Amino acid sequence: MSADAYLEKLAVSGMPPLLGGRHEGPFRAGVVTRDLGPLRMVELVTPAGECFRPARAVRASDEARWQIDLMMRGRVRVEHGRDDVVLGPADLVLIDPARPVRYASTASTHVTMLVPRHALRGADRFAGVRIPGDRGPAALVASLARDMTRGFSGFRADEEERSAAAVIELISVALGSSQAAPSSDPVLRDRIRGYVEARLADRDLTPAKVAAAHHLSVRRLHKLFEDEPLTVAALIRRRRLDRCHADLAGGGRTVASVAARWGFADAAHFSRLFKATFGYTAAALMSSSRARMVKAPPADPGHDGGHGSVDRDDERHPGPDVRGVEPR
């Protein structure tokens, strides 16, 4: 099936319109449609690539339905409104067909359920939110959707209506579950900061890894921190430097071992970052800390009134109580 033929078949299926973007490799795709009363199921097989629906492509009829996408195979990044989410197998997302959307996916299989809008009242706040399909009511929705794509038979008309109503009610329960409720930006930022703090020693800790762990796109992660003093990458770097400062002030380790412990593989690069951040070198801090651990010799009472002498190293190097403050 060609890309154009796929999009035509997609339109005939009743799916809200999508425009083709780039795709990778041979175009292998398929569309299978089944109905259960007012509930329409569309199983889609797609190659790796992108597709999107701009505002100009939205039709008046699209405002009458909700669209629930269930991933069965592969991964997809969904940009819908202000949020981006990354879905894996069994995950669901609610899409408002009256709003623009963009998909970027690996080769994948997913099921789309088209539901009358009036049947899911108050669902607006869940549009674009990832719903984990591995637990709770969402897991039951995911299981039913997978089974329902195999076809319906033996239903009377009234049974179709009642069965569809039961599935739609289960979707409503899944949306309203606590797992599906969207986190506010401050709550999500705090969660991300806690995640970073717990993994500072991981050399592979990057914004991409942080985003994946929270089912966000990197773009969405950057947007989440765009008004914060530090980007996620800068936050990781600064908190690692703070940990290094604390260890060096405590003494007992070499600069190289402390740097390696907190994820800095290049000792020279670490030394430059440390001095740029704190205004003095890591070696100076460590030397000063060691000097303060050595008991000062008794002073001549005739020279300083009985007080201990001043170590010249203390004049040249910062003490262990120097705050890790950015130089102005």
Side-chain angles (χ1 to χ4, degrees), residues 53-55 58 79-81 96-102:
R53 179 170 58 253
V58 173
E79 300 175 17
H80 192 48
D96 183 351
R99 290 165 48 189
V101 65
R102 177 179 292 271

Side-chain angles (χ1 to χ4, degrees), residues 165-179:
V167 174
I168 293 170
E169 177 60 23
L170 186 57
I171 292 171
S172 180
V173 173
L175 291 175
S177 66
S178 58
Q179 292 91 342

Side-chain angles (χ1 to χ4, degrees), residues 131-152:
I131 305 169
D134 60 350
R135 58 185 179 272
L140 187 51
V141 172
S143 178
L144 281 173
R146 283 191 294 266
D147 291 340
M148 288 165 69
T149 56
R150 299 170 187 169
F152 312 121

Side-chain angles (χ1 to χ4, degrees), residues 147-200:
D147 291 340
M148 288 165 69
T149 56
R150 299 170 187 169
F152 312 121
S153 60
F155 284 87
R156 298 194 306 268
D158 63 318
E159 291 172 338
E160 285 193 6
E161 293 288 336
R162 292 170 61 190
S163 297
V167 174
I168 293 170
E169 177 60 23
L170 186 57
I171 292 171
S172 180
V173 173
L175 291 175
S177 66
S178 58
Q179 292 91 342
S183 298
S184 65
D185 285 356
V187 171
L188 185 53
R189 277 194 294 268
D190 286 346
R191 189 182 303 158
I192 289 170
R193 290 189 187 100
Y195 177 89
V196 166
E197 197 70 25
R199 292 164 177 80
L200 289 172

Side-chain angles (χ1 to χ4, degrees), residues 42-318:
V42 184
E43 183 177 3
L44 304 170
V45 177
T46 59
E50 296 182 0
C51 60
F52 62 98
R53 179 170 58 253
R56 60 181 171 81
V58 173
R59 307 166 304 189
S61 60
D62 296 326
E63 299 178 1
R65 295 177 297 185
W66 284 111
Q67 172 183 335
I68 299 94
D69 291 339
L70 161 69
M71 289 300 297
M72 296 177 66
R73 177 180 63 89
R75 298 182 69 82
V76 62
R77 185 181 77 246
V78 183
E79 300 175 17
H80 192 48
R82 62 186 297 274
D83 292 327
D84 297 354
V85 293
V86 178
L87 308 180
D91 290 341
L92 301 97
V93 64
L94 178 73
I95 301 295
D96 183 351
R99 290 165 48 189
V101 65
R102 177 179 292 271
Y103 300 94
S105 71
T106 63
S108 61
T109 301
H110 67 273
V111 174
T112 290
M113 294 170 277
L114 299 174
V115 178
R117 186 174 288 257
H118 65 78
L120 290 177
R121 298 189 184 280
D124 305 65
R125 68 192 183 101
F126 297 110
V129 176
R130 170 184 172 267
I131 305 169
D134 60 350
R135 58 185 179 272
L140 187 51
V141 172
S143 178
L144 281 173
R146 283 191 294 266
D147 291 340
M148 288 165 69
T149 56
R150 299 170 187 169
F152 312 121
S153 60
F155 284 87
R156 298 194 306 268
D158 63 318
E159 291 172 338
E160 285 193 6
E161 293 288 336
R162 292 170 61 190
S163 297
V167 174
I168 293 170
E169 177 60 23
L170 186 57
I171 292 171
S172 180
V173 173
L175 291 175
S177 66
S178 58
Q179 292 91 342
S183 298
S184 65
D185 285 356
V187 171
L188 185 53
R189 277 194 294 268
D190 286 346
R191 189 182 303 158
I192 289 170
R193 290 189 187 100
Y195 177 89
V196 166
E197 197 70 25
R199 292 164 177 80
L200 289 172
D202 180 0
R203 287 190 181 183
D204 296 328
L205 184 65
T206 62
K209 187 169 184 177
V210 173
H214 293 82
H215 303 283
L216 303 171
S217 67
V218 176
R219 173 176 172 270
R220 167 62 177 143
L221 179 68
H222 290 326
K223 187 175 181 181
L224 192 65
F225 279 79
E226 66 182 358
D227 294 327
E228 295 295 299
L230 298 176
T231 64
V232 175
L235 175 65
I236 293 170
R237 183 170 59 248
R238 180 55 199 252
R239 293 302 298 134
R240 282 174 167 169
L241 287 168
D242 288 343
R243 293 291 186 91
C244 290
H245 189 284
D247 279 4
L248 291 169
R253 292 188 176 91
T254 66
V255 172
S257 66
V258 168
R261 179 188 180 192
W262 295 111
F264 293 101
D266 185 332
H269 177 62
F270 163 73
S271 295
R272 290 192 295 271
L273 283 175
F274 191 97
K275 185 173 183 181
T277 300
F278 299 112
Y280 44 83
T281 66
L285 173 61
M286 187 174 65
S287 297
S288 178
S289 300
R290 286 175 177 170
R292 287 176 179 272
M293 292 178 185
V294 178
K295 184 177 181 180
D300 184 344
H303 287 82
D304 61 5
H307 295 289
S309 63
V310 176
D311 192 315
R312 293 300 176 188
D313 280 341
D314 293 345
E315 295 179 350
R316 293 193 300 269
H317 303 307

